[in-house]
Amino acid sequence: MHAAFFLLLGASVARFLLRHPGEPRTPWVIALSVTLALLYVLGPAVGGTTPGVSGTPRRRLWLGLVVATWVVLVVLAPSFAWCAVPLFFTALRTLPPRAAVALVTVLTVFVVAAQLKLSTAFDPNLLLAPPAIAALATAVFVHMERQAQAQRTLIDDLIRTRRELAATERREGTLAERQRLSMEIHDTLAQHLSSQQMLLQAADRTWDTDPATARAHVRTATGIAARGLAEARRLVHDLAPPELDNGAGLADALRALDAGPHIEVRFHLEGTPAPLPDRAESALLRIAQGALANIREHSGARTAALTLSFLGDQVVLDIADDGTGFTATGTTTPAPADRGHGLPAMRARVRQLGGTLTIESTPGEGTVLSASIPLEPTG
């Protein structure tokens, strides 16, 4: 648009000098042409306009000076009338809609008058063409401005939606991390503290009557406290369970678990062991620890059996006990122990890995808890 303005202005100056050489008004026309060019060049210096927003008072004053200089030029030399076309768009970008349309109408009237003055005979095209061009220019600008405004609105909505999505993801990440930490604390520190409490209470009851047994309870509690301290340190650093450190596999870690001094824990390995993801190993180990804690606190069992089975496309961990059991009507029915945090935490761990957790129990016949996690195909 700027190039078109200067092209039309230069063509008008050339036409005037060719048609009216040596006239007294020539110096005025040249001076006004230079003034109009300088004023137009100063446009960006006085501040542009943001799309969809009216210009500043300084820019409106600048537009008034440009239009006034152009009007004087048209009065002196009607051939400068077509410089109004670029001014149409400048007015539409600078002024509010109604004021811009009014100014475009005034400019169009001057263009029509100038063309009629240049014509030697009446020509309807000279009367109809300038308003048609002005109407077309205004319609094109208004349409483009509406499209630009719609695009700006869409971009703003997308940016706001992206920010809301990012905030939602942060909240979900925070909640997931809190859930993970709560499960880690429940399955490690809380269980260790519960075991220590039970052992120390037993030691207190037998301290006078059976000092040897009491000391054994204290030593066991001390060992549990040491493991709890290691768990706490590892939890702070957000690393794998300490039982899996130093290259120890899941089978070795499960084999080393115990459920207290009065419960015999047996471990069985079935199938060919396959490498497991760290998350799967950690989840199965925590499930086993939580299940043994439930057996110790709720079942009254004397023995517990852990069976780790590698079945090719999945790994299954079964924890069975010979305790009192309970009435289980299905895999999704909460058991009495579900009122705590243990079983929900186990289900959450398995669900995060795409697996399933099932519980089978009958009063007086013990309980079997089975956690199945699918494995990625190899080769």
Side-chain angles (χ1 to χ4, degrees), residues 256-282:
L257 293 179
D258 64 76
H262 303 297
I263 301 177
E264 180 185 0
V265 179
R266 301 169 184 170
F267 174 74
H268 304 279
L269 178 63
E270 296 184 359
T272 303
L276 297 177
D278 293 341
R279 290 183 60 198
E281 287 190 342
S282 178

Side-chain angles (χ1 to χ4, degrees), residues 89-154:
F89 291 95
T90 304
L92 290 168
R93 285 184 62 88
T94 304
L95 300 175
R98 293 184 179 180
V101 171
L103 181 56
V104 169
T105 303
V106 172
L107 296 177
T108 305
V109 170
F110 271 89
V111 173
V112 171
Q115 294 304 305
L116 292 176
K117 185 177 180 180
L118 290 174
S119 178
T120 57
F122 178 75
D123 186 350
N125 286 334
L126 300 179
L127 186 63
L128 299 177
I133 294 175
L136 179 62
T138 303
V140 169
F141 179 85
V142 171
H143 177 69
M144 293 175 60
E145 193 64 28
R146 287 176 178 174
Q147 285 188 326
Q149 181 61 40
Q151 290 179 348
R152 288 191 294 271
T153 302
L154 177 60

Side-chain angles (χ1 to χ4, degrees), residues 207-232:
W207 191 262
D208 295 327
T209 58
D210 191 353
T213 301
R215 291 189 184 93
H217 289 329
V218 171
R219 285 193 295 269
T220 304
T222 302
I224 294 175
R227 291 196 297 272
L229 179 59
E231 291 281 2

Side-chain angles (χ1 to χ4, degrees), residues 166-226:
T168 301
E169 290 177 347
R170 285 194 297 270
R171 288 194 297 269
E172 290 179 352
T174 301
L175 293 176
E177 183 65 12
R178 291 177 60 183
Q179 182 184 25
R180 186 188 71 82
L181 289 175
S182 67
M183 290 189 298
E184 292 285 344
I185 293 172
H186 174 271
D187 293 341
T188 57
L189 301 181
Q191 301 296 350
H192 290 153
L193 291 173
S194 176
S195 299
Q196 292 174 53
Q197 182 184 30
M198 293 176 60
L199 289 168
L200 292 176
Q201 288 175 346
D204 181 64
R205 289 193 299 268
T206 60
W207 191 262
D208 295 327
T209 58
D210 191 353
T213 301
R215 291 189 184 93
H217 289 329
V218 171
R219 285 193 295 269
T220 304
T222 302
I224 294 175

Side-chain angles (χ1 to χ4, degrees), residues 292-315:
L292 291 178
N294 286 340
I295 292 172
R296 180 179 62 249
E297 297 178 9
H298 303 293
S299 71
R302 303 298 299 175
T303 61
L306 276 67
T307 304
L308 181 64
S309 305
F310 289 90
L311 305 179
D313 60 343
Q314 62 179 341
V315 57

